[in-house]
């Protein structure tokens, strides 16, 4: 028998062996799932799965706490803890609406003022949201706020007012786990949206179809569920949904509203925008489209049409309350199915905020992380277009995957650390395996982007946002720096662990990775370098 | 028989690939043994996506048609500002850098491009253009991915195609050896961290390991020390063009590059936005020309613009235009036979919803590129495009 032939036989044998092993493993996990009774504590791995899907990477102590709960208790607790307001104080200028375009300005001054606002305030609200995500006691609130920001995608680049973008963010958060019907109604009157999709330009006799089209294609029904005639009728119904220039508030202008008869989805009458929202909420397609998006955010990249239909019906029956829907989805068999674990690609927010929270990095100025999110493809307040970020596997291409690895590599780079500016005589200084360096050093200078983005990056590097925002982080001595002490982190991890199967190292890896490492060792050395190895493992990109 | 670790891993990977469906190894792509010299792909295609749908009527202006000014009483480009190509059509004044190319016979305008039952959603329509599908067919693979599956680019190339700027892969998606690169410096430096080894236990990991492999092998084929003398515009599009041309200069080859600029979605305040973007477009194209001349590649380079649709014939009352249908695109290069191709849609006989009626299927442009530029046979082109589309004679 030739060597080639032997190899083929060997490969075939190994192949069969592998299939058998996989089959056995699957059988075992199904058995485990079946024996986990609904009224028994869910254990470490289930708790890890739930928390990592619903928060920004959970810490061991939280996982251990949730492990004692049943799945239902855990989901109820997560949902009960969500909030309607951000905790981190917003920049002072958000309190008052100031128009950038003042009538007395020359054209040149207006352009300059506008440019400055886009850069400075744009960086400040991005930094503010990053700070909220880093510090929130209820990450699920922020995940859902981000979900709706992506769903009702609106970009500051066109809105050209950080103030209106901030207000929209406040709106999204207040309904993030509230009532979708009410949110949809509010969004149709949201000033940032009225600017972004030209609703403010939509007048009787001169309809602008932009909002009408995206309302049906992207916000409710999905493409193919309506026709061009519907778009024209819906655009007419929303004429007069406008803005008050002095306050930036919604204003209904009767004079430019077309109150003639319209026919939409078989309903005929003098329909206005509110009527259209009501009609859209009656269409089964609306719930199914949005449940499908939530499914791909929280459960699996593969849609299960039957499950989506069931959840959408339940959602409509509960009058589009978001919490009961989330509860049903998070308690579905699909959510817990072993096949769906580690199946989702982390978003840049998951990756960056998750890493900083999980390892308890001390961050003095979060602005550089807003810039890093942009470099990884998720510019907060700046989605690529009205469809939002495509998400899923599309988060990763050769550019963004390499940028992620570059970021993670630098995050744990002890050898490049500047000697920390810790107080002299501090017994931590110099002895331990730690990083303390300017967060701005994490920004890849070769990926600066377009002109406004370059200006914003330079501002973030200078600490320009930190001067104007409420102080963030633990230590003024760490001005502009981020700080991480690996020794201390490992000590706290060990203290938080409560035994169970596997050794400490096994549990550390099980905390950090959604599944078995692909390249990293299962025994992670208790050093910065060891953590870097885990963070660079392909499994670290998944949740 | 004993196996060392590496052989064991290789066998395991193969087994995994066979049994569970996994694993990527760099260079493990099915390729014909064509060399660069004889390959049709010594001719380079640079696609420029005008994101958000450029208004063709104000780009390639039918300035002699009174119906144009009737439809565009405020937005219409004034006759005395149009850069005249002939007695009927002219370019938007922001495109003045293209005029020398027109004079040299290097610029072709293909007008009336569209498809039956036009879809007016940005996202669906660009998918149709990217996948070369009918309005009602949903195809997963980009049309270039299918082209490269039919006639494979040389294995020695850094990639079949590259999407510059870090966005989606568009016409290169699903099947081709495609890279996304934002900056060659960052790419080569960061690729040192890429590691394709290991077993992928699900689809997402498979995707990651494939990317790691592609990045690792591509980075070995880009020499970051090679630089061009050409100066590139500092705006984002100029920088994309710079990255694209650096790849051409510093790698063994690539068949297609995709760059993009936007947003041209000018529902409101069109004049300023379009002016800025078209100026950037012309500056970028001019820089591609300069760099190609510097590399001696201008005869072998074709720049082709595209977008999801044109805009509504009649201006709206927000000083802008809504989504429309048929559009004009440019094909530019040293080997291009300059001139006007296709017939311009009538401005008086519009569709029921006020849109232009297309006169040339957009896939005729693709079949031209496949057969006339890359030398595919008619049968091969038909296979890629799932249909027969008479090519235009765009190339000399």
């Amino acid at each position: 028998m030739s060597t080639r032939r032997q190899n083929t036989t060997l490969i075939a044998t190994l192949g069969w062996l592998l299939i058998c092993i996989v089959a056995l493993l699957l059988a075992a996990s199904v058995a485990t799932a079946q024996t986990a009774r609904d009224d028994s504590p869910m254990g470490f791995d289930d708790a890890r799965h739930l928390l990592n899907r619903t928060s920004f990477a959970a810490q061991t102590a939280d996982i251990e706490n949730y492990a004692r709960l049943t799945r239902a208790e855990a989901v109820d607790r997560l949902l009960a803890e969500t909030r309607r307001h951000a905790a981190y104080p917003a920049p002072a200028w958000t309190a008052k609406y100031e128009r950038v375009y003042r009538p007395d300005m020359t054209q040149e001054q207006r352009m300059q003022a506008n440019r400055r606002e886009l850069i400075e305030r744009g960086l400040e609200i991005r930094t503010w949201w990053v700070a909220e995500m880093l510090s929130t006691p209820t990450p699920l609130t922020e995940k859902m706020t981000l979900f709706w920001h992506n769903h009702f995608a609106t970009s500051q680049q066109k809105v050209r007012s950080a103030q209106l973008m901030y207000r929209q963010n406040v709106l999204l958060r207040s309904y993030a786990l509230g009532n979708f019907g009410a949110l949809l109604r509010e969004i149709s009157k949201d000033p940032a949206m009225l600017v972004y999709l030209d609703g403010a330009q939509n007048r009787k006799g001169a309809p602008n179809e932009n909002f009408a089209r995206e309302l049906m294609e992207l916000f409710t029904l999905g493409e193919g569920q309506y026709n061009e005639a519907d778009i024209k009728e819906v655009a007419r119904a929303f004429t007069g949904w406008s803005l008050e220039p002095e306050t930036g508030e919604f204003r209904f202008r009767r004079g430019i509203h077309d109150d003639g008869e319209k026919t939409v989805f078989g309903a005929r009458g003098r329909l206005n925008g509110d009527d259209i929202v009501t009609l859209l909420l009656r269409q089964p397609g609306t719930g199914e489209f949005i449940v499908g998006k939530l499914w791909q955010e929280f459960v699996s990249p593969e849609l299960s049409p039957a499950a989506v239909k069931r959840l959408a019906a339940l959602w409509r029956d509960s009058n589009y309350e978001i919490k009961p829907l989330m509860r049903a989805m998070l308690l579905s068999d699909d959510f817990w199915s072993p096949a769906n674990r580690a199946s989702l690609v982390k978003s840049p927010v998951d990756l960056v905020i998750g890493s900083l929270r999980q390892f308890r990095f001390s961050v003095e100025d979060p602005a550089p992380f807003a810039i890093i999110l942009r470099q990884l493809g998720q510019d907060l307040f700046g989605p690529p277009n009205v469809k939002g970020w495509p998400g899923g596997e599309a988060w990763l291409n050769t550019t963004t995957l390499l940028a992620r690895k570059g970021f993670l590599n630098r995050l744990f780079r002890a050898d490049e650390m500047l000697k920390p500016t810790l107080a002299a005589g501090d017994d931590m200084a110099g002895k331990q395996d730690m990083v303390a360096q300017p967060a701005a050093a994490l920004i890849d200078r070769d990926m600066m982007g377009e002109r406004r983005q370059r200006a914003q990056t330079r501002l973030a590097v200078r600490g320009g946002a930190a001067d104007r925002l409420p102080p963030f982080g633990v230590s003024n001595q760490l001005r502009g720096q981020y700080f991480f002490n690996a020794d201390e982190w490992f000590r706290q991890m060990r203290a938080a662990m409560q035994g169970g199967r596997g050794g400490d190292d096994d549990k550390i890896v099980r905390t950090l990775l959604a599944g078995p490492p692909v390249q990293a060792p299962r025994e992670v050395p208790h050093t910065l370098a060891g953590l870097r190895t885990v963070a660079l493992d392909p499994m670290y990109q998944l949740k | 028989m004993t196996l060392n670790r590496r052989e064991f891993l290789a066998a395991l990977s193969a087994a995994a690939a066979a049994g569970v469906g996994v694993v990527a190894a760099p260079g493990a792509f099915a390729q014909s043994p064509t060399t660069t010299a004889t390959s049709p792909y010594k001719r380079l295609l640079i696609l420029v996506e005008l994101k958000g749908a450029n208004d063709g009527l104000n780009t390639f202006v039918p300035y002699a048609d009174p119906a144009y000014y009737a439809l565009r009483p405020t937005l219409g480009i004034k006759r005395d500002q149009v850069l005249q190509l002939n007695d009927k059509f002219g370019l938007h004044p922001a495109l003045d850098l293209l005029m020398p190319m027109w004079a040299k016979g290097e610029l072709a305008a293909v007008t009336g491009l569209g498809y039956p039952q036009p879809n007016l959603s940005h996202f669906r329509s660009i998918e149709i253009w990217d996948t070369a599908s009918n309005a009602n067919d949903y195809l997963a693979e980009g049309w270039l991915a299918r082209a490269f599956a039919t006639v494979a680019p040389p294995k020695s190339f850094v990639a079949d195609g590259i999407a510059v700027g870090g966005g989606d892969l568009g016409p290169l998606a699903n099947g081709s050896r495609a890279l996304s690169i934002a900056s060659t410096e960052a790419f080569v430096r960061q690729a040192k961290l890429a590691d394709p080894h290991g077993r992928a236990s699900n689809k997402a990991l498979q995707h990651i390991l494939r990317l790691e492999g592609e990045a690792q092998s591509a980075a070995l084929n880009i020499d970051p020390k090679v630089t061009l003398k050409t100066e590139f515009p500092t705006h984002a599009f100029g920088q994309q063009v710079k990255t694209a041309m650096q790849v051409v200069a510093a790698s063994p080859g690539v068949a297609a590059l995709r760059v993009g600029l936007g947003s041209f979605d000018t529902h409101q305040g069109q004049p300023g936005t379009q002016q800025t973007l078209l100026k950037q477009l012309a500056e970028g194209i001019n820089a591609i020309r300069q760099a190609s001349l510097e590399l001696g590649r201008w005869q072998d380079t074709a720049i082709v613009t595209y977008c999801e649709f044109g805009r509504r014939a009649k201006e709206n009352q927000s000083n802008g235009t809504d989504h429309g249908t048929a559009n004009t695109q440019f094909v530019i290069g040293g080997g291009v036979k300059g001139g006007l191709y296709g017939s311009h849609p009538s401005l008086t006989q519009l569709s029921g919803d006020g849109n232009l009626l297309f006169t040339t299927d957009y896939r005729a442009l693709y079949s031209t590129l496949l057969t006339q530029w890359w030398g595919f046979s008619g049968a091969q082109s038909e296979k890629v495009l799932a249909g027969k589309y008479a090519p235009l004679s765009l190339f000399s």
Side-chain angles (χ1 to χ4, degrees), chain A residues 521-535:
Chain A
R522 278 178 164 274
E523 305 258 310
V524 45
H526 288 203
T527 59
L528 265 179
L531 291 176
R532 186 165 66 226
T533 315
V534 177

Side-chain angles (χ1 to χ4, degrees), chain B residues 259-309:
Chain B
V259 291
L261 81 162
S263 167
F264 284 93
D265 194 18
T266 48
H267 288 274
Q268 176 257 336
Q270 174 168 310
T273 305
Q274 203 193 19
Q275 161 81 27
T276 305
L277 290 170
L278 289 181
K279 184 161 184 289
Q280 293 183 358
L281 174 68
E283 289 169 352
I285 288 174
N286 192 46
I288 295 176
R289 185 174 186 275
Q290 294 303 324
S292 301
L293 287 168
E294 182 184 338
L295 294 167
R297 296 287 307 267
W298 183 234
Q299 283 301 316
D300 293 333
T301 299
I303 305 165
V304 179
T305 64
Y306 72 107
C307 57
E308 56 268 52
F309 38 64

Side-chain angles (χ1 to χ4, degrees), chain B residues 342-374:
Chain B
S343 64
H344 198 276
S346 162
L347 297 183
T348 48
Q349 286 173 312
L350 303 171
S351 71
D353 49 3
N355 280 313
L356 302 179
L357 298 166
F358 83 101
T359 56
T360 301
D361 195 289
Y362 73 107
R363 286 161 288 196
L365 178 59
Y366 294 174
S367 90
T368 308
L369 295 169
L370 293 174
T371 59
Q372 316 287 303
W373 188 241
W374 280 335

Side-chain angles (χ1 to χ4, degrees), chain A residues 281-295:
Chain A
L281 291 171
R282 273 189 211 144
Q283 304 285 313
T286 294
E288 287 166 20
F289 181 64
I290 293 164
V291 168
K293 285 180 82 171
L294 282 163
W295 183 274

